[in-house]
Amino acid sequence: MKLSGTLEITEWHTPATDYPESEVGNFRIHHIKQSRGYYNHWGLDGYLFLKVKKPIPITNLQEKRNGKWQYWMVDDPPQQRAMEIYAAHAHGRVLVAGLGLGLILHELAKNPRVNSVVVLEKSPEVMELMLSNIQYLFEPKKGKPLFVVTNEDFYEFIENDTGGWDTIIVDLWVSNSADEKMRIFYQEILPLHFMLSQKYPASEITYHGFQTVSAIKPVSEEMVELVSEINS
């Protein structure tokens, strides 16, 4: 594995690249161009940085808060790559908390070790916005997992759930600063992880963006240390 190098990208395309721009309530799908330059790649595949050699298309899921559109999820290279890694390591019955742009669902559909996928999304607006873009996932096909997307709050769901999940992937948080991420980790992730570990002792549980308590670790420990040093 190449360490501390730079990944160069001249072209970019994800399933979300083809989503049409649309808006439902306080959510929208919006396309932008990521300009040339250097960006964090967070140690994924051994690359600390990403060099965009010419502008690439990026799709955003945004929520309007206080009259301004705020980013909720993007399909930039590190986000897409993380979803690919999570999906590649998933198996059996998979529970996904948070629909977002549905990036991980497209990847789970390619994994023959995945039998079924249940996605929980508490926002009916996000569901309405996204369902036409992932409609093909619900079509029965030999070798493809069965997909179900339901309008439920993850925390309410797990109170009464008795399902035996093999893989659980939780992607519910957006943080805009190191302090905010630390607050989420201590106040939300750790209590949730303790509870889920007790409730689902046989499940492999992963929290996107919080590798230390995740079963699937997309970044090597060596790269985690390098990233921490650079951003400290």
Side-chain angles (χ1 to χ4, degrees), residues 19-158:
Y19 296 172
E21 288 197 332
S22 54
E23 184 176 330
V24 177
N26 288 325
F27 289 88
R28 73 174 182 178
I29 293 173
H30 182 61
H31 297 295
I32 64 170
K33 287 284 188 180
Q34 187 169 26
S35 59
R36 292 189 296 269
Y38 288 87
Y39 301 87
N40 282 318
H41 202 252
W42 307 109
L44 291 159
D45 298 318
Y47 294 104
L48 281 173
F49 303 106
L50 166 73
K51 182 181 181 181
V52 176
K53 301 188 72 173
K54 65 180 182 179
I56 59 174
I58 299 295
T59 304
N60 304 285
L61 174 63
Q62 298 178 332
E63 181 183 10
K64 183 177 284 186
R65 298 179 183 174
N66 300 318
K68 295 182 179 181
W69 289 106
Q70 307 289 332
Y71 290 103
W72 191 252
M73 187 176 189
V74 300
D75 70 338
D76 64 10
Q79 293 288 332
Q80 172 64 18
R81 184 60 184 133
M83 297 301 146
E84 291 171 357
I85 294 170
Y86 297 149
H89 285 80
H91 63 96
R93 297 185 64 214
V94 180
L95 178 66
V96 177
L99 174 57
L101 284 170
L103 300 178
I104 195 170
L105 307 188
H106 297 285
E107 303 305 320
L108 287 168
K110 304 173 186 177
N111 186 343
R113 298 189 304 124
V114 173
N115 300 322
S116 62
V117 181
V118 173
V119 185
L120 306 176
E121 173 54 55
K122 72 175 183 179
S123 169
E125 296 168 325
V126 171
M127 286 191 64
E128 183 178 347
L129 197 60
M130 281 297 305
L131 284 180
S132 62
N133 296 310
I134 58 174
Q135 194 64 43
Y136 84 96
L137 293 172
F138 306 111
E139 299 171 0
K141 184 178 179 181
K142 185 177 181 180
K144 184 173 73 66
L146 173 68
F147 281 84
V148 175
V149 179
T150 180
N151 179 207
E152 289 190 70
D153 179 89
F154 176 63
Y155 291 91
E156 295 177 359
F157 174 86
I158 59 179

Side-chain angles (χ1 to χ4, degrees), residues 115-225:
N115 300 322
S116 62
V117 181
V118 173
V119 185
L120 306 176
E121 173 54 55
K122 72 175 183 179
S123 169
E125 296 168 325
V126 171
M127 286 191 64
E128 183 178 347
L129 197 60
M130 281 297 305
L131 284 180
S132 62
N133 296 310
I134 58 174
Q135 194 64 43
Y136 84 96
L137 293 172
F138 306 111
E139 299 171 0
K141 184 178 179 181
K142 185 177 181 180
K144 184 173 73 66
L146 173 68
F147 281 84
V148 175
V149 179
T150 180
N151 179 207
E152 289 190 70
D153 179 89
F154 176 63
Y155 291 91
E156 295 177 359
F157 174 86
I158 59 179
E159 285 185 5
N160 301 309
D161 177 50
T162 58
W165 308 102
D166 299 296
T167 307
I168 300 175
I169 300 170
V170 187
D171 185 8
L172 298 175
W173 303 274
V174 177
S175 59
N176 297 311
S177 68
D179 288 343
E180 176 66 6
K181 186 168 184 176
M182 191 65 69
R183 183 200 65 77
I184 291 172
F185 179 72
Y186 283 108
Q187 296 183 12
E188 300 184 41
I189 301 293
L190 285 183
L192 177 63
H193 181 58
F194 177 78
M195 186 268 288
L196 292 181
S197 298
Q198 297 293 314
K199 187 175 181 69
Y200 306 108
S203 301
E204 294 183 354
I205 308 169
T206 294
Y207 309 86
H208 178 47
F210 299 90
Q211 175 166 303
T212 55
V213 291
S214 294
I216 303 171
K217 300 184 186 298
V219 181
S220 70
E221 290 304 315
E222 185 175 2
M223 292 306 299
V224 168
E225 292 180 8

